[in-house]
Amino acid sequence: MKLINRICQILAIVSGVAAVALFFLGDFATIVSNKFGVTLSGAQLAFGGSEKVADATITMAQSAHIWFCIIVTILGALFSILTFKFKAMRYAAPVATLITAVYMLVIALSNPFNFVDYRTQPVGQLGTVLSIKYSAVVFGITALLFAATILGIAHLLVSDKIAVAGTKKLTIPRRIIAFFRDYKSETKKIAWPNLKFVVKNTFIVLVICAIIGAFIWVLDWGLANVLKLLLGA
């Protein structure tokens, strides 16, 4: 069991680090304009990196979507590494990688024009952009992030099972099941009011609201008139 736990932990780290590496080393998208085409990595698109094409140097604007994915992917990989030292990171690592995995899946399945910021500094270096295409790296990053998430959850569950072995504590899945069982039993104890009771209490609330509203209106009207008299004097 401990060996399986360690394997899941190491593979989760490898998947997360590999995803980070692909952002920086792999070709993320190809932008084709009426002047030329340029292939850029995720880091270049995210942080506004430069790429030399023919006799020109293309400097990209920062893409907020890809920037977010890179930052959270780095955090997920860092949390996975810290699981060796801090047990609490077993919860944070899969959460971070899952967030990025879902975001990257949306990016991969959507129109690249919605997520790749093809503006340049200064504006107009690319000319008129005709098309943007993702490379296989985008889907590779997405797959690695989902793999890191699954392995991170597996590491969390196996570690939890090892920790509660020989004790009366419940594992995480059993705690979740127990929670919903308790929730179901508590809902059965609820005494739902009948229609007559609801109508009666609703009427009382409306009357009280009307009385309080009328009192505030009279008080406001009286104070306003007193203030006018004082200012007039």
Side-chain angles (χ1 to χ4, degrees):
M1 187 68 72
K2 290 184 178 180
L3 178 61
I4 295 173
N5 183 42
R6 186 66 70 192
I7 290 172
C8 290
Q9 184 182 20
I10 294 172
L11 289 178
I13 294 171
V14 171
S15 299
V17 172
V20 174
L22 283 180
F23 272 115
F24 287 87
L25 303 177
D27 294 332
F28 194 92
T30 299
I31 303 174
V32 179
S33 70
N34 61 336
K35 293 183 178 179
F36 36 64
V38 57
T39 300
L40 300 159
S41 67
Q44 288 174 309
L45 292 169
F47 303 112
S50 299
E51 181 73 12
K52 184 139 182 100
V53 180
D55 296 328
T57 300
I58 305 299
T59 304
M60 302 300 299
Q62 294 183 357
S63 178
H65 299 287
I66 302 173
W67 178 90
F68 174 81
C69 287
I70 290 178
I71 296 301
V72 181
T73 301
I74 292 172
L75 288 176
L78 180 61
F79 293 157
S80 297
I81 295 170
L82 290 176
T83 56
F84 282 106
K85 184 69 176 178
F86 305 102
K87 292 183 178 181
M89 290 301 166
R90 292 178 299 178
Y91 299 90
V95 170
T97 51
L98 178 61
I99 290 171
T100 321
V102 173
Y103 207 145
M104 280 299 302
L105 182 63
V106 172
I107 290 174
L109 299 179
S110 300
N111 188 335
F113 279 91
N114 296 330
F115 292 97
V116 176
D117 192 342
Y118 50 87
R119 293 176 300 166
T120 55
Q121 304 295 336
V123 177
Q125 282 182 313
L126 278 174
T128 303
V129 175
L130 302 176
S131 67
I132 302 175
K133 293 182 180 179
Y134 291 135
S135 71
V137 168
V138 177
F139 300 96
I141 293 172
T142 306
L144 284 169
L145 288 170
F146 274 110
T149 302
I150 294 170
L151 290 165
I153 293 172
H155 168 60
L156 172 63
L157 296 177
V158 174
S159 297
D160 182 67
K161 189 172 182 178
I162 293 172
V164 300
T167 68
K168 294 182 179 180
K169 293 182 180 180
L170 297 176
T171 59
I172 292 175
R174 291 186 179 276
R175 274 181 273 171
I176 294 172
I177 293 171
F179 168 79
F180 282 107
R181 283 179 179 171
D182 293 340
Y183 175 80
K184 183 179 180 181
S185 63
E186 289 298 322
T187 55
K188 290 181 179 179
K189 298 177 184 178
I190 298 174
W192 299 101
N194 54 37
L195 181 61
K196 182 179 178 181
F197 182 82
V198 173
V199 171
K200 177 184 176 182
N201 283 277
T202 302
F203 177 75
I204 292 172
V205 171
L206 292 174
V207 170
I208 292 174
C209 288
I211 293 171
I212 294 174
F215 172 76
I216 293 173
W217 179 81
V218 171
L219 183 64
D220 179 70
W221 178 81
L223 291 174
N225 281 279
V226 170
L227 188 61
K228 287 180 181 178
L229 291 173
L230 292 174
L231 293 175

